[in-house]
Amino acid sequence: MTEAAELPPVPEQAREVFGDRYGDAVRYAELLAEAGVQRGLIGPREVPRLWERHLLNCAVLSEVVPEGVMVCDVGSGAGLPGIPLALVREDLKITLLEPLLRRTNFLTEVVELLGLDHVTVVRGRAEELMGKMPPVHVVTARAVAPLDRLATWGIPLLRPYGEMLALKGDTAEEELKSAATALSKLGAVETSILHVGEGVVDPLSTVVRVEVGESPGGVRFAAKRAKAARTGRARRRR
């Protein structure tokens, strides 16, 4: 049996969640089950639970993303949660940020195939791109790193009063507690744990929300951001 044959039937909830983009969501699932597995982007054992554990689990993140904002999906990997989010929210401007070439190649192919004109793929590491790309309203991430480490990469990419939304599992509360000091130093002013996807996924998707104040990344990154801005202005004048 091929990996594609193991793809389970599409859940009824997918039609409601993805709406006009339902066909594109199905095609994306097929790509994950085929090319995604062949290229080592997801494991073969994930194919039978692609819809509930991955596509729908990520798509419901849209419930807590504000309208019409710029989003950066850090460590996008195979496009989770960035591509499901893009399929349900065409009002967003989404950047899929990923350091590995084989993954960015896959992401670029998916974006072009599905006609996601509001999505841009960028190859690079978050810590290297601060000041080189416009700050965003929302940073998203899923299965990238523990919260304290993820925050050091994601929060500096935010604009003032932006927020980081990290899809987490059962460890969400524990991670949030252990990361409290680090988050405070990075400029976080409020944190919370949200549960989304009522009537769509079971269990509900768990999201850690980290809201920042006027200095995303704290004092340390404010200096780096100012230096990057000066460098950018100097380059434009040449």
Side-chain angles (χ1 to χ4, degrees):
M1 183 180 293
T2 64
E3 301 299 346
E6 295 177 11
L7 192 62
V10 183
E12 283 300 316
Q13 298 95 318
R15 291 187 179 274
E16 180 179 350
V17 170
F18 290 103
D20 293 341
R21 286 283 194 170
Y22 168 78
D24 291 325
V26 172
R27 183 63 185 129
Y28 177 49
E30 293 170 347
L31 289 167
L32 287 174
E34 297 165 2
V37 171
Q38 292 165 7
R39 300 186 194 183
L41 303 182
I42 66 166
R45 294 181 181 179
E46 296 303 312
V47 174
R49 50 185 185 177
L50 267 179
W51 283 102
E52 286 84 357
R53 184 178 175 84
H54 298 289
L55 275 76
L56 290 173
N57 178 273
C58 290
V60 296
L61 182 63
S62 65
E63 295 177 17
V64 291
V65 177
E67 291 186 12
V69 298
M70 296 175 62
V71 177
C72 182
D73 188 31
V74 171
S76 195
L80 301 165
I83 288 178
L85 182 61
L87 288 170
V88 298
R89 293 289 301 275
E90 295 191 32
D91 60 300
L92 304 174
K93 297 286 187 184
I94 300 178
T95 297
L96 306 179
L97 182 59
E98 168 58 46
L100 296 184
L101 180 60
R102 63 187 172 90
R103 293 176 180 171
T104 54
N105 285 342
F106 175 79
L107 293 173
T108 300
E109 291 166 16
V110 171
V111 167
E112 292 177 354
L113 182 65
L114 302 185
L116 298 174
D117 298 334
H118 57 306
V119 177
T120 302
V121 178
V122 174
R123 183 186 176 197
R125 298 183 182 279
E127 60 268 35
E128 298 169 352
L129 291 176
M130 189 196 66
K132 297 180 182 178
M133 56 183 288
V136 298
H137 302 80
V138 176
V139 162
T140 60
R142 177 179 186 259
V144 174
L147 187 61
D148 55 351
R149 198 183 332 151
L150 173 63
T152 65
W153 301 335
I155 287 181
L157 299 177
L158 291 169
R159 59 182 294 169
Y161 307 105
E163 59 186 326
M164 183 175 72
L165 300 172
L167 279 162
K168 290 288 183 178
D170 297 336
T171 63
E173 189 170 345
E174 181 182 338
E175 284 194 49
L176 189 54
K177 286 181 180 178
S178 63
T181 300
L183 293 174
S184 178
K185 290 180 179 178
L186 288 166
V189 295
E190 189 168 342
T191 61
S192 54
I193 295 177
L194 313 173
H195 299 284
V196 297
E198 183 73 41
V200 178
V201 290
D202 183 18
L204 299 178
S205 297
T206 301
V207 181
V208 174
R209 171 187 271 163
V210 178
E211 300 172 74
V212 300
E214 62 182 13
S215 298
V219 175
R220 173 187 168 196
F221 288 97
K224 286 189 175 183
R225 190 176 291 108
K227 181 180 179 181
R230 289 194 300 271
T231 301
R233 287 194 296 269
R235 286 174 178 168
R236 287 193 293 270
R237 285 197 295 267
R238 290 175 185 172

